[in-house]
């Protein structure tokens, strides 16, 4: 097993159908092995700028785009620390574990935090948002696009206009969908749209990115105690020179520059979104054929991660470990959903053919376990 897992010579040979981190193509690994200049050099700034400009295209925005030397959780914390004043309230629209995490970040930073949600497996509705916003005033509203724990994709097109009408700034955690599912930042007027890169971007973990609107930029100086590491004013100041305030993981930034070029100029954005749509559709068809119910309510299933109910009542842990013996990793349900659900990630560079191959092995395992 260590030959397919750790593998001292070749690295892990496991095929990851996980909701991130995911398999990284050889061309990206090679890119990361290239020598670099320092993070204050001109060549570095050129590389950094390529990422900033590429992100604008991927997010359909003219807003400034930032690179954070953290995972996505760091930027979730940055939103809370930089945009919410002491006499203001922040609303977290939670539909699962990562919405709950964002609320916890608000609370632990001493912000006046309110959480409103729906039953796990469901999407937030315009009615819920309308109702909560009619009862109180919020300066900032935080919401996931794709909730990775439940595999639900929120109807952003329907709820964000309602949030914007209330006058609040809106922050979207698109960690498990950015670069896999289209999100039109300017059309929706999203103030901050953030993600880490180890998911649909297909880069090893260690970086997060976001777009930031002019309204959010103007809010930052009004907020006290923004901390040091995640102070947007510092990040913005450095971004003017196409740099980060602290030493960044330069190989990851080189990789991201190359991957964004691949996404925009080789695969093409629309093709990439369509491939993810096909991956989602194919997984849902497989679930239906195998008699697993989808956990998300119909119409809100994610195209990057599928969460299935354990409707066959089989030993999920065993299923996952038998599949691992065949060289594929999928994952059990998240937190309390463990053994009640399981998840298949289908994002990044995975093709429908590769997904089919894994699903056919999984089908045999499921029928043996029934
Ligand atoms: C929706 C969502 N938000 C936030 C996170 C946290 O991301 P990171 O581990 O990059 O901090 C994850 C990670 O899986 C996620 O799926």
């Amino acid at each position: 097993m260590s030959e397919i897992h750790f593998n001292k010579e070749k690295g892990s040979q496991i095929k990851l159908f996980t909701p991130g981190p995911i398999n990284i193509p050889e061309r990206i690994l090679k890119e990361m092995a290239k020598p670099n200049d320092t993070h204050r050099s001109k060549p570095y700034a050129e590389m950094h700028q390529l990422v900033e400009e590429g992100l604008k295209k991927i997010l359909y925005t003219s807003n400034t785009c930032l690179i954070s030397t953290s995972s996505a959780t760091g930027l979730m914390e940055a939103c809370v620390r930089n945009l919410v004043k002491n006499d203001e309230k922040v609303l977290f629209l939670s539909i699962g574990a990562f919405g709950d995490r964002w609320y916890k970040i608000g609370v632990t930073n001493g912000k006046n935090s309110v959480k409103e949600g729906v039953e796990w497996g469901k999407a937030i509705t315009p009615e819920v948002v309308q109702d909560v916003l009619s009862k109180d005033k919020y300066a900032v509203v935080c919401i996931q696009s794709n909730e990775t724990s439940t595999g639900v994709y929120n109807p952003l097109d329907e709820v964000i206009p309602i949030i914007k009408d209330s006058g609040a700034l809106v922050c979207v955690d698109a960690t498990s969908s950015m670069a896999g599912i289209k999100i039109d930042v300017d059309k929706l007027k999203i103030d901050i749209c953030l993600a880490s890169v180890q998911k649909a971007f297909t880069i090893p973990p260690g970086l997060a990115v976001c777009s930031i609107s002019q309204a959010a930029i103007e809010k930052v100086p009004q907020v006290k105690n923004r901390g040091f590491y995640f102070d947007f004013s510092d990040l913005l100041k450095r971004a003017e020179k196409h740099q980060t305030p602290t030493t960044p993981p330069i190989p990851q930034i080189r990789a991201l520059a190359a991957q964004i070029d691949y996404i925009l100029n080789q695969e093409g954005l629309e093709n990439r979104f369509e491939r993810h749509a096909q991956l989602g559709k194919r997984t849902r068809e497989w679930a239906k054929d195998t008699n697993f119910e989808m956990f998300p309510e119909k119409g809100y299933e994610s195209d990057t991660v599928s969460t299935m109910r354990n409707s066959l009542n089989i030993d999920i842990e065993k299923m996952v470990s038998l599949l691992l013996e065949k060289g594929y990793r999928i994952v059990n349900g998240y937190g309390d959903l463990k053994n009640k659900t399981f998840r298949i990630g289908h994002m990044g560079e995975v093709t429908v053919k590769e997904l089919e191959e894994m699903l056919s092995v999984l089908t045999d395992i499921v029928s043996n376990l029934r």
Side-chain angles (χ1 to χ4, degrees):
M1 279 295 267
S2 67
E3 266 174 40
I4 55 169
H5 282 271
F6 172 62
N7 200 322
K8 211 167 167 203
E9 270 73 47
K10 296 190 207 149
S12 171
Q13 298 299 297
I14 294 284
K15 295 189 178 109
L16 300 174
F17 285 85
T18 50
I22 55 165
N23 288 123
I24 307 300
E26 199 65 30
R27 65 182 161 78
I28 292 296
L29 296 175
K30 280 190 182 145
E31 207 54 55
M32 294 184 71
K34 288 181 184 168
N36 290 298
D37 205 335
T38 80
H39 60 300
R40 300 294 180 228
S41 66
K42 195 161 173 279
Y44 170 82
E46 282 168 13
M47 209 158 75
H48 189 115
Q49 191 174 4
L50 282 176
V51 173
E52 293 167 325
E53 295 306 320
L55 286 172
K56 289 185 186 180
K57 292 190 179 133
I58 289 176
L59 292 174
Y60 297 81
T61 186
S62 57
N63 286 345
T64 300
C65 287
L66 297 171
I67 301 174
S68 171
T69 54
S70 69
S71 72
T73 308
L75 280 180
M76 289 161 82
E77 185 143 19
C79 291
V80 165
R81 292 198 73 114
N82 284 271
L83 301 179
V84 187
K85 293 199 263 182
N86 287 343
D87 58 353
E88 291 177 337
K89 282 188 182 169
V90 47
L91 173 68
F92 299 90
L93 295 168
S94 175
I95 61 162
F98 291 101
D100 284 3
R101 176 185 293 190
W102 218 348
Y103 169 67
K104 214 178 204 176
I105 291 170
V107 171
T108 52
N109 275 285
K111 301 291 178 180
N112 199 340
S113 307
V114 175
K115 183 175 81 165
E116 188 65 43
V118 288
E119 191 190 329
W120 284 27
K122 297 203 182 311
I124 209 86
T125 62
E127 292 73 29
V128 167
V129 178
Q130 196 92 58
D131 185 52
V132 64
L133 292 179
S134 69
K135 289 182 183 147
D136 213 340
K137 175 91 187 142
Y138 296 95
V140 178
V141 178
C142 299
I143 184 171
Q144 268 64 36
S145 57
N146 200 60
E147 175 50 74
T148 323
S149 58
T150 60
V152 170
Y153 197 86
N154 266 325
L156 297 183
D157 292 3
E158 293 170 33
V159 299
I160 290 185
I162 301 171
I163 302 170
K164 293 301 296 184
D165 278 352
S166 77
L169 294 174
V170 63
C171 302
V172 175
D173 166 15
T175 297
S176 55
S177 64
M178 195 187 284
I181 299 172
K182 181 174 178 176
I183 192 159
D184 193 328
V185 165
D186 282 0
K187 186 171 147 223
L188 290 173
K189 302 190 176 67
I190 296 171
D191 292 287
I192 296 202
C193 187
L194 67 93
S196 39
V197 297
Q198 72 273 18
K199 300 189 189 268
F201 274 108
T202 335
I203 303 295
L207 270 186
V209 296
C210 73
S211 63
I212 178 163
S213 70
Q214 195 52 37
I217 291 174
E218 284 166 18
K219 178 80 185 280
V220 175
Q222 303 170 34
V223 181
K224 287 196 189 125
N225 298 323
R226 300 189 297 274
F228 187 85
Y229 199 71
F230 294 114
D231 183 352
F232 274 140
S233 70
D234 247 21
L235 270 154
L236 286 159
K237 207 160 119 208
R238 278 294 182 179
E240 281 171 22
K241 294 183 181 169
H242 312 297
Q243 295 179 358
T244 49
T246 54
T247 319
I250 306 174
Q252 253 96 347
I253 291 173
R254 180 179 282 279
L256 188 54
Q259 177 66 348
I260 286 176
D261 180 58
Y262 171 83
I263 292 171
L264 295 174
N265 302 317
Q266 292 197 46
E267 181 170 25
L269 256 188
E270 295 298 332
N271 292 340
R272 191 172 183 86
F273 297 146
E274 177 54 28
R275 179 168 55 78
H276 282 84
Q278 290 304 322
L279 290 164
K281 183 166 168 268
R282 182 62 200 105
T283 310
R284 293 192 287 277
E285 280 167 5
W286 171 84
K288 189 158 185 256
D289 294 346
T290 322
N291 287 323
F292 282 119
E293 274 169 45
M294 293 304 293
F295 184 68
E297 67 176 309
K298 201 159 174 47
Y300 298 95
E301 304 96 335
S302 158
D303 282 333
T304 51
V305 53
S306 292
T307 303
M308 272 68 58
R309 249 181 231 286
N310 185 7
S311 29
L312 296 176
N313 208 13
I314 58 169
D315 185 339
I316 297 289
E317 219 157 84
K318 186 122 192 247
M319 178 185 81
V320 171
S321 77
L322 288 173
L323 187 64
L324 194 56
E325 279 174 23
K326 301 283 182 192
Y328 297 99
R329 186 187 290 283
I330 59 170
V331 288
N332 207 323
Y334 194 99
D336 291 345
L337 293 177
K338 195 170 176 194
N339 299 326
K340 294 182 192 138
T341 65
F342 66 98
R343 293 172 300 157
I344 297 176
H346 31 79
M347 61 178 89
E349 297 310 308
V350 67
T351 62
V352 174
K353 185 169 171 284
E354 287 162 341
L355 175 71
E356 295 280 5
E357 285 163 6
M358 184 279 287
L359 291 175
S360 127
V361 178
L362 184 56
T363 305
D364 290 344
I365 291 171
V366 171
S367 58
N368 286 337
L369 283 176
R370 281 177 85 163

